[in-house]
Amino acid sequence: MAVLVTRPGQDGIELCEAIQAQHTDAIHHPLIQFQSSDDIQSLPSKLHNADIVIAVSQHAVHYTQKILKEQQAKWPASVSYLAIGQKTAYKLGKVTQQKVHYPTISDSEHFLQLPQLQNVSQLSIVILRGNSGRELIFESLSNKIASVEYAEVYQRHPIPFNSEDSIQYWRSRNVDTLILTSSEQLSYLEQSMSKIQKDWLHTLSLLVPSQRIAILARELGYQNIVNTGSAANSDLLNAVNKK
């Protein structure tokens, strides 16, 4: 048994280390990488003019903090802060020194059920994100007559790889479990594979953090899918241990 982890960055490395500490083989193969966005000059004014600021990921918090520091600006104290998950909320609370609200289940659907988002008509909402994602949140809040805009504080770029060599290597390591933490990773992996390669991928046990990604994976042909309900490494590790 071996687990293929596509989560990028330090989080992916730490997840692999945690899996290996449980005496299970793990391979780290990140599919995307991050960098700061170029169009960020207006970010401080966007934040200070907002009623609600939403962080969709830890990366969104990290890059916003980096941009504000470079511009010698501060997080506003007069806005309501929300985050998709607990780890993002913790990081956001640490840099803002403000209370951050978040759902117990880290997905867009549960996030939209937060009390702070039920009466948002005419409010100004800024969503901190990368160069795509969380369209459901934008559309749902816009439908409630809120003024919603994205602040794309970082960009995600796919990492090129040789699919034939990768599949051969993964099979030689007896990979039987795949962890994908975003729909973008899932789509990119699928697009990079031939039909024969995808047929093998679809036999793996797939761990994903949300029902939305699970539905997409089933539509693509995956059969053995586990929705962990969270992208936290601890929850992903628990799911691996239950296999």
Side-chain angles (χ1 to χ4, degrees):
M1 172 183 175
V3 181
L4 177 62
V5 176
T6 66
R7 164 165 265 176
Q10 189 61 32
D11 283 340
I13 294 171
E14 291 176 358
L15 178 56
C16 284
E17 291 173 347
I19 293 171
Q20 291 166 340
Q22 301 293 327
H23 308 292
T24 298
D25 192 15
I27 302 167
H28 189 217
H29 186 105
L31 295 171
I32 58 176
Q33 57 190 344
F34 304 95
Q35 68 179 45
S36 292
S37 293
D38 296 326
D39 184 20
I40 44 79
Q41 293 302 316
S42 63
L43 180 62
S45 62
K46 278 186 180 181
L47 295 180
H48 283 271
N49 290 329
D51 297 299
I52 297 174
V53 172
I54 297 170
V56 304
S57 68
Q58 295 179 72
H59 297 292
V61 178
H62 169 78
Y63 283 100
T64 301
Q65 172 71 358
K66 180 174 181 290
I67 293 165
L68 292 178
K69 188 173 182 179
E70 289 171 352
Q71 298 191 25
Q72 297 183 331
K74 294 183 178 181
W75 295 85
S78 59
V79 307
S80 178
Y81 288 102
L82 283 68
I84 299 295
Q86 184 177 14
K87 289 186 73 174
T88 301
Y90 173 77
K91 188 162 188 174
L92 183 59
K94 191 172 181 180
V95 296
T96 63
Q97 295 298 300
Q98 303 291 323
K99 180 177 178 60
V100 179
H101 305 277
Y102 63 93
T104 54
I105 299 178
S106 305
D107 60 26
S108 297
E109 291 78 8
H110 288 86
F111 176 79
L112 287 166
Q113 295 174 19
L114 286 174
Q116 293 77 17
L117 295 177
Q118 301 317 301
N119 297 293
V120 294
S121 177
Q122 308 305 318
L123 295 184
S124 176
I125 301 175
V126 174
I127 301 175
L128 304 172
R129 69 163 191 172
N131 48 324
S132 64
R134 302 299 179 178
E135 285 79 8
L136 176 62
I137 294 174
F138 183 98
E139 293 170 5
S140 298
L141 295 177
S142 295
N143 289 338
K144 293 183 176 182
I145 323 299
S147 174
V148 190
E149 63 177 325
Y150 292 123
E152 297 186 350
V153 295
Y154 68 97
Q155 294 182 338
R156 295 184 297 269
H157 299 284
I159 301 173
F161 68 100
N162 185 299
S163 60
E164 184 174 350
D165 290 347
S166 297
I167 289 285
Q168 185 176 355
Y169 176 65
W170 297 340
R171 297 189 75 160
S172 72
R173 291 279 293 272
N174 296 316
V175 168
D176 66 353
T177 302
L178 170 62
I179 296 178
L180 289 162
T181 51
S182 74
S183 57
E184 184 177 19
Q185 294 169 30
L186 174 59
S187 298
Y188 177 53
L189 184 62
E190 287 288 307
Q191 293 165 8
S192 303
M193 299 292 168
S194 68
K195 183 181 183 305
I196 292 176
Q197 292 166 345
K198 284 190 281 191
D199 287 343
W200 176 77
L201 274 179
H202 296 168
T203 67
L204 304 180
S205 176
L206 176 64
L207 306 185
V208 297
S210 73
Q211 184 63 21
R212 177 175 53 86
I213 302 176
I215 291 171
L216 175 60
R218 194 163 299 280
E219 291 173 350
L220 291 170
Y222 290 86
Q223 298 299 319
N224 185 12
I225 305 169
V226 177
N227 174 13
T228 63
S230 165
N233 276 353
S234 57
D235 293 316
L236 295 169
L237 180 63
N238 286 338
V240 170
N241 291 336
K242 289 178 181 178
K243 288 185 75 287

